[in-house]
Amino acid sequence: MPNKFFLENYPLYSKANTDWMNSFNNIKLNKLPKPAIHMHCDVCASEQTFNVENDYEESEGNYNIEGKIIRAKYICSSCAKGERLFIVRLFNRIEKTTDSKGGEVEYTYVSMEKIGQYPSWNIQMDSELEKMLGKHSDYYKKGLTCESQSYGIGAYAYFRRITEDIIDELINSIFDLVEGEEKKEEYRTALKKVKETKITEKKIDVVKDLLPVSLQTEGINPLKALHSALSAGLHGKTDEECMEQAEIIRSILVFLVNQTMKTKEEKKKFTSGIKKLLSK
Ligand SMILES: [Zn+2]
C-alpha cells in the first residue's frame, strides 16, 4: 500500500492521489509497496509499529486496476496480536497536460480511498492535548468525527472554534519560551496589542513573526500557516477544500500545544537538574 501517511491519517472516503503512472495498466497489485505504519495498539496500550501480513491478491492476467479492492491486514510488531485492517479501493485518475507542440496529452495515474478500517479511524485524543484543551476537547472530538466522515466544513468550523477559544492561552504560554531580554520585551509589547483585539487572525498576526525558533520546524512558521488557514475561511468553499484547511489547523494546534508543553517540561527538568547539581 502506497503511503504510510494515507493509512495512518486519512479518514474514510477521502481521496488520495499517488504519482504511480498507470497509462498502460502496468500497475500490479502484488507489486504495491507495503510500508510499516505507526499506530496505537489496543493490546500493548501504546504506539507501535505494524506490518502487513497478507498479499494483495490478483487474478492472473487482469491488470486493470480500476475499482480493485485491496485488503491489508496489519499486525503489531511488538505483541503480534494487535490488528489493524484496511480496505482500500483503487481507481484511475486522468490528468491532462499539453505537450511541446501544444497538443493535449492524457496520463493515467492511480488514486485511492479507504472504504473500510478496523478499528475505526482514531478519534482518540492525545492526552497532553486533552489536558490543555480541557473543556474544549469536546469540540476537538467532534472535529475529528467530522473529519472521519469527510465533512470538511464541519471539521473546519470546530477546529477554528477551538483556536478562537484557546488562542489567548496559547499566545501567553509561548511567551515563556521566548529567549533573550530584548525579544521578551518585544513579545511583551505585542501581548498588549493582542489584548486590544478580539479577532483571532489579528492576534496571531501581531505575534507570528516573534515566534521562538524552538516552535518553528523545518523552516515553517506554524503561526503563519495557522494565520493563512484561518484567513481562508469557510465562505463558498467545498467540503474537500475546507478539509485541507481543517487538517492544517488541527495539525498546527497539536504541534504548538505539544511543543509548548514539551519545551516547558524540558526547561523545568533542566532547571531542577541543575539546582540539584549545584546543591551538592
Ligand atoms: Zn501490540
Side-chain angles (χ1 to χ4, degrees):
M1 191 99 30
N3 179 318
K4 174 175 149 51
F5 186 81
F6 167 75
L7 291 173
E8 291 170 355
N9 297 294
Y10 270 60
L12 292 185
Y13 309 117
S14 193
K15 292 178 177 57
N17 294 336
T18 74
D19 54 4
W20 307 336
M21 203 190 277
N22 193 33
S23 295
F24 306 102
N25 282 330
N26 49 315
I27 302 277
K28 294 169 188 166
L29 291 191
N30 54 15
K31 294 275 162 61
L32 295 184
K34 295 178 171 174
I37 56 172
H38 295 274
M39 292 185 88
H40 186 86
C41 173
D42 292 337
V43 180
C44 299
S46 58
E47 288 282 309
Q48 295 295 343
T49 302
F50 287 73
N51 294 301
V52 191
E53 65 149 29
N54 64 295
D55 283 325
Y56 309 141
E57 292 142 48
E58 181 160 32
S59 49
E60 206 57 46
N62 177 11
Y63 292 149
N64 188 2
I65 214 154
E66 182 69 37
K68 281 262 166 73
I69 309 287
I70 296 177
R71 175 183 154 278
K73 187 175 176 188
Y74 275 80
I75 299 291
C76 170
S77 63
S78 173
C79 65
K81 287 197 183 95
E83 257 183 53
R84 291 258 169 195
L85 185 67
F86 301 94
I87 313 287
V88 175
R89 188 178 79 90
L90 302 168
F91 52 98
N92 286 320
R93 167 179 102 252
I94 313 260
E95 284 188 11
K96 289 178 182 166
T97 47
T98 41
D99 63 14
S100 54
K101 288 171 189 147
E104 199 171 69
V105 220
E106 281 187 358
Y107 293 105
T108 306
Y109 296 91
V110 177
S111 291
M112 61 200 154
E113 63 179 346
K114 287 182 193 166
I115 57 170
Q117 176 165 350
Y118 179 84
S120 62
W121 197 67
N122 202 356
I123 55 164
Q124 283 296 305
M125 281 181 72
D126 189 298
S127 62
E128 287 292 294
L129 190 70
E130 190 155 17
K131 235 188 281 169
M132 171 129 179
L133 290 179
K135 60 181 179 191
H136 313 295
S137 49
D138 237 19
Y139 284 151
Y140 189 87
K141 283 178 192 154
K142 285 180 182 168
L144 287 180
T145 308
C146 286
E147 242 190 290
S148 74
Q149 302 297 317
S150 296
Y151 297 157
I153 297 174
Y156 182 93
Y158 279 118
F159 295 137
R160 185 192 171 91
R161 176 62 184 276
I162 296 168
T163 316
E164 288 166 354
D165 288 348
I166 69 165
I167 194 66
D168 289 317
E169 197 184 340
L170 190 62
I171 288 177
N172 282 333
S173 64
I174 290 174
F175 174 76
D176 296 336
L177 306 180
V178 177
E179 305 269 358
E181 210 29 62
E182 203 178 313
K183 291 234 166 95
K184 273 188 182 299
E185 195 46 49
E186 234 180 307
Y187 201 93
R188 235 177 249 127
T189 317
L191 280 181
K192 277 178 205 151
K193 275 197 206 150
V194 166
K195 286 195 183 107
E196 288 164 13
T197 175
K198 286 206 163 85
I199 301 165
T200 304
E201 282 96 314
K202 281 196 181 153
K203 291 181 188 199
I204 299 174
D205 198 34
V206 173
V207 291
K208 68 181 176 8
D209 293 317
L210 305 172
L211 192 72
V213 186
S214 60
L215 292 178
Q216 308 201 19
T217 163
E218 288 166 37
I220 297 167
N221 177 331
L223 275 188
K224 277 190 186 164
L226 183 60
H227 184 262
S228 81
L230 291 173
S231 307
L234 276 171
H235 196 73
K237 299 244 163 53
T238 63
D239 262 323
E240 218 164 20
E241 290 163 333
C242 287
M243 183 67 100
E244 264 173 45
Q245 302 303 320
E247 280 170 356
I248 294 174
I249 298 175
R250 172 173 56 77
S251 46
I252 293 172
L253 283 183
V254 172
F255 172 78
L256 282 177
V257 166
N258 281 331
Q259 204 62 18
T260 336
M261 288 208 161
K262 206 176 91 197
T263 319
K264 269 188 189 171
E265 205 54 39
E266 276 164 7
K267 267 191 164 179
K268 223 194 270 169
K269 268 188 209 152
F270 176 74
T271 323
S272 69
I274 289 283
K275 274 186 185 156
K276 252 187 212 159
L277 280 177
L278 289 176
S279 66
K280 271 185 186 163

